[in-house]
Amino acid sequence: MKTHEQFADDLALYALEELTGSDRQELEQHMETCATCRREVQFLRSDLSLLALSSAGPRPPARSKDRLMRAVAAEPRGASAPSPLQVRRRGLSWALVPAVLALGLLVWAGTLWQKNDALQHNLSSLAVLYKATNSQLQQANERLRLLSAPDAVQVSLSPQSEPRKPHATAIYSPSQKRLMLMASGLAPVPHGKAYCLWLIPMEGAPMPAGMFWPDEHGNAMMMDHTMPEGVIAKAFAVTVEDEAGSDKPTSPVLIVGSGL
Amino acid sequence: MEPMDKSPGTRTDAGDDMRRVARLRAGDQQALSELYDRYSSVVYGVALRILQDTGAAEDLLQDIFLQLWRKPDAFDSSRGSLGAWLAVIARNRSIDRLRQRRPESDIEDCVIASSTDLRDETERSLVIEKVRVVMNEMSPDQRTAMELAFFEGLTHTEIAEKTGEPLGTIKTRIRSGLQMLRARFST
């Protein structure tokens, strides 16, 4: 069984998608419960994105975009409206009637097609608006579910001995495995350091529950943090740690609050 | 541990990308067109550098934006830059194609914590220039190890064999190179 430190050696390989087979599976299992490693992988990917940018510059030919948009148009999501091609096919069948009548009918069909097109356009716009609103509503509902969950615990953390009077409120739902934190009155942290929230479970050692940095006003917020399943919080505490994260608190507790 | 961006303003800066992604979820093709205009050169540049073939790079560009269209939720917009995420996806998929292998993971699994703003062409140019400066400051051996791992998709073992250096040295060079990049962009 590898230790956390041994897994840490594999993180860059994982971010580079070099890690395969059982090594990859072992690391992924470890990351399910190790927030520090998950966070480091996310940061390593960010480092890799910078490296990728060193090759940015050439623009793709214009035909690439045409090709993409044609492909997208060929697979619209949601209810598909009759395509102009289908409408034209319908119109073409009238070409079999005598020329004058066909011409008149084609003009009439063309008018209908334009009206249909305008209606379809309006309908699409409304559908887009509806779906966007619905998506925002769903996100808001998810947050409300956490705040109103019967087992949601709201914890106020107060200063132990700090004159700056930092304050934080953590809201945690074991059933939803989600955690939110709102903090204020925080002093700036030195370069390379970050505030670390610790979840102190009913049994066992404190678990890192997220790193955060205050803004210029000393405020910080951590939304929708995911925690492992089945962890019941006895208390929460905040310390200052290296920004790369830590498995256990290495500095004095700044603020602490009971979850019971 | 889900990180927060160090810069509180970042989420606001990325707001219009998030709105475009929300429109993508709603099936808005215009949103895809706008995101393509903004980020296609990032994706194409990475793919071209790795694949060394304009046709293959165009195919990859097409695939990635089609994936974004089909799975807009794959990008976790609460965690920062869409441009950085696309750059990493482009790199990984290009390497998969180069090595003719199946992807190790789906794009949903690629969660990235990036506060680098790449939306604006000018900002992007500054970032690119800074990356190039940092790369030039690295020793030739370190730069070579980084480029072989990142742009040629060689494993650490393959790099060690190719350069004749011990495996541990290669691992250290790549890790410290990434740390150097991170340090420069966090100041």
Side-chain angles (χ1 to χ4, degrees):
Chain A
M1 185 72 181
K2 284 185 180 176
T3 63
H4 169 77
E5 286 71 24
Q6 287 172 308
F7 278 118
D9 286 340
D10 287 340
L11 295 177
L13 294 175
Y14 183 79
L16 280 161
E17 301 239 311
E18 263 192 42
L19 208 60
T20 55
S22 58
D23 288 340
R24 185 182 180 89
Q25 282 179 346
E26 262 188 86
L27 177 60
E28 285 179 339
Q29 274 179 355
H30 169 72
M31 284 197 298
E32 281 176 15
T33 55
C34 181
T36 306
C37 284
R38 282 204 304 274
R39 177 173 179 271
E40 179 60 15
V41 165
Q42 291 171 10
F43 276 113
L44 281 166
R45 289 194 182 117
S46 178
D47 302 336
L48 295 174
S49 74
L50 293 171
L51 201 51
L53 281 174
S54 66
S55 63
R59 292 189 167 280
R63 65 172 180 267
S64 291
K65 185 175 181 184
D66 297 340
R67 182 181 161 205
L68 173 71
M69 298 317 290
R70 277 200 307 275
V72 166
E75 52 173 80
R77 280 175 290 181
S80 58
S83 71
L85 184 61
Q86 287 171 309
V87 175
R88 273 186 224 112
R89 278 185 189 142
R90 221 173 285 147
L92 280 175
S93 66
W94 291 103
L96 299 173
V97 303
V100 175
L101 184 58
L103 184 62
L105 284 171
L106 281 171
V107 169
W108 177 67
T111 308
L112 280 182
W113 181 83
Q114 280 180 337
K115 283 182 181 171
N116 182 52
D117 195 44
L119 284 171
Q120 289 292 349
H121 180 74
N122 289 341
L123 193 60
S124 300
S125 301
L126 285 172
V128 166
L129 187 64
Y130 168 76
K131 284 177 183 172
T133 308
N134 204 29
S135 171
Q136 287 171 357
L137 190 62
Q138 278 179 356
Q139 285 179 358
N141 276 340
E142 278 186 15
R143 285 172 186 157
L144 271 178
R145 271 180 51 223
L146 166 63
L147 291 172
S148 60
D151 60 347
V153 180
Q154 180 166 338
V155 183
S156 292
L157 291 78
S158 55
Q160 283 196 316
S161 59
E162 295 295 325
R164 289 178 60 87
K165 295 190 176 177
H167 179 268
T169 300
I171 300 172
Y172 174 55
S173 163
S175 68
Q176 294 188 28
K177 299 180 287 180
R178 296 173 98 171
L179 170 70
M180 287 171 59
L181 176 86
M182 289 157 280
S184 59
L186 298 170
V189 285
H191 178 66
K193 298 283 185 182
Y195 284 102
C196 181
L197 177 68
W198 298 94
L199 185 155
I200 302 166
M202 297 299 289
E203 290 179 1
M207 301 168 63
M211 311 291 287
F212 56 96
W213 291 263
D215 62 17
E216 66 270 27
H217 306 296
N219 300 322
M221 184 172 280
M222 195 163 62
M223 298 286 289
D224 288 352
H225 184 87
T226 307
M227 294 298 296
E229 191 165 10
V231 177
I232 307 293
K234 182 170 67 179
F236 288 91
V238 172
T239 64
V240 173
E241 305 293 343
D242 285 338
E243 68 173 4
S246 174
D247 284 341
K248 56 185 178 186
T250 61
S251 68
V253 172
L254 296 173
I255 44 178
V256 64
S258 168
L260 299 175
Chain B
M1 190 177 303
E2 272 69 7
M4 292 180 65
D5 292 328
K6 289 185 185 182
S7 156
T10 304
R11 286 168 203 275
T12 310
D13 294 342
D16 57 346
D17 273 357
M18 289 167 69
R19 280 191 288 277
R20 285 188 173 92
V21 172
R23 284 166 54 205
L24 273 190
R25 290 193 191 101
D28 184 351
Q29 295 177 17
Q30 180 59 30
L32 184 73
S33 170
E34 291 163 11
L35 288 171
Y36 180 95
D37 290 342
R38 181 170 282 178
Y39 295 120
S40 58
S41 64
V42 171
V43 173
Y44 182 73
V46 175
L48 188 59
R49 167 80 188 269
I50 293 172
L51 296 169
Q52 300 285 313
D53 180 295
T54 53
E58 281 179 51
D59 286 347
L60 195 107
L61 174 68
Q62 166 100 353
D63 287 353
I64 287 177
F65 275 92
L66 268 180
Q67 286 276 303
L68 182 63
W69 169 250
R70 289 167 183 157
K71 295 181 175 178
D73 287 328
F75 169 62
D76 184 346
S77 54
S78 67
R79 291 190 180 133
S81 166
L82 176 64
W85 183 76
L86 286 169
V88 173
I89 298 284
R91 182 268 170 190
N92 291 346
R93 288 295 179 268
S94 297
I95 295 294
D96 289 338
R97 210 162 276 202
L98 194 68
R99 295 174 76 92
Q100 298 184 320
R101 68 179 186 189
R102 290 172 62 82
E104 285 290 342
S105 57
D106 209 345
I107 59 170
E108 291 99 326
D109 300 327
C110 183
V111 180
I112 184 168
S114 171
S115 57
T116 312
D117 184 6
L118 303 174
R119 294 168 308 137
D120 179 69
E121 192 83 34
T122 313
E123 284 295 319
R124 206 183 302 162
S125 299
L126 290 173
V127 171
I128 292 168
E129 190 51 37
K130 195 169 174 181
V131 173
R132 287 176 180 161
V133 167
V134 178
M135 292 294 285
N136 283 331
E137 286 173 0
M138 291 178 188
S139 71
D141 288 342
Q142 182 164 39
R143 193 165 56 243
T144 300
M146 298 276 284
E147 288 179 346
L148 288 174
F150 191 81
F151 290 114
E152 295 190 23
L154 297 191
T155 64
H156 286 40
T157 310
E158 288 167 338
I159 297 171
E161 284 169 3
K162 186 167 182 165
T163 59
E165 301 275 7
L167 183 60
T169 305
I170 299 300
K171 282 187 178 181
T172 305
R173 278 187 185 145
I174 291 173
R175 203 169 172 181
S176 64
L178 291 173
Q179 283 169 348
M180 193 170 162
L181 264 175
R182 189 184 306 179
R184 290 303 180 84
F185 277 85
S186 65
T187 53

